[in-house]
Amino acid sequence: ATLRVIPRPARMAALVPCASIGQAVAVTGALRQEAHAAWRGEGPLDVAAIEFMDPRSLALLPDEVFAAAAMPRPGTGHAWLLAQVEVGVSEEAALANLDSVLRSADVGDPVVALPGDDRGAARLFALREAVPATLNARVAAVRARLGPGIHKVAGDMIVPFARLEASLALYQAAFEARGLDYAVWGHVSDGNLHPNV
């Protein structure tokens, strides 16, 4: 095999606050379209991945997680996206396209860690990683208080992106109808979510 090595692309991270799950799915869809255009050489916004945190995931996080990320606690019903963008020849063009997509979706200002701001990007990714860590700690604390019958059930579901919003609504309705505590997060750009009960 003959391999060609290319430079590692510069990357930026953008934390996108959305007022609802529906808005988060719509923004993800728009960013996916931008990514597909970039892969065809028709645009500068190469979105490599998008992570999702539902309102319950965010509500479970302790205040110190938001403080470490330098982010205010979101309002009720808000969902957050964390997009990783590979920046090609024009960082400015990528930022302009990102701004255009978010303005079209009526989304507030994102928090962006530009290429080279590894500390800023790490703070944003630590916030996403705090979701499963917080949930696991919560389950362990309740188990210690109430006994070994308490446990967490986690899924790793993949659905076609066109069915993503419907699947999120299905999870929410099923869990709430049964009085179950839950949180959903995951790799929304791939339609791969982790419902945890």
Side-chain angles (χ1 to χ4, degrees):
T2 302
L3 304 178
R4 179 172 61 95
V5 178
I6 62 172
R8 183 177 185 177
R11 295 180 298 170
M12 67 178 173
L15 184 67
V16 180
C18 298
S20 67
I21 289 174
Q23 187 181 51
V25 172
V27 169
T28 301
L31 291 174
R32 281 170 47 97
Q33 288 178 349
E34 291 291 329
H36 291 153
W39 301 341
R40 292 189 307 267
E42 300 169 2
L45 191 56
D46 186 352
V47 181
I50 308 170
E51 294 292 313
F52 168 79
M53 294 161 272
D54 81 337
R56 185 65 185 142
S57 298
L58 297 171
L60 289 171
L61 293 177
D63 291 338
E64 54 267 22
V65 170
F66 293 102
M71 292 291 299
R73 180 175 285 282
T76 303
H78 287 225
W80 282 1
L81 300 173
L82 179 56
Q84 181 175 312
V85 179
E86 294 186 354
V87 180
V89 294
S90 177
E91 179 181 319
E92 293 79 16
L95 284 168
N97 266 44
L98 178 62
D99 182 62
S100 176
V101 167
L102 298 183
R103 285 187 190 279
S104 294
D106 198 26
V107 173
D109 291 333
V111 175
V112 177
L114 294 173
D117 183 6
D118 295 337
R119 184 173 292 173
R123 275 199 322 269
L124 297 179
F125 283 103
L127 193 144
R128 171 13 187 123
E129 293 306 316
V131 172
T134 297
L135 186 63
N136 290 337
R138 179 183 172 91
V139 170
V142 173
R143 182 183 298 125
R145 192 172 72 243
L146 298 179
I150 301 295
H151 61 277
K152 176 184 83 165
V153 177
D156 194 350
M157 312 295 191
I158 300 174
V159 299
F161 186 78
R163 300 294 298 152
L164 185 70
E165 191 168 5
S167 69
L168 283 164
L170 177 67
Y171 300 151
Q172 183 178 12
F175 298 152
E176 290 180 359
R178 292 163 177 82
L180 297 170
D181 198 1
Y182 69 94
V184 182
W185 66 89
H187 320 298
V188 69
S189 53
D190 298 330
N192 176 207
L193 295 176
H194 310 310
N196 279 242
V197 180

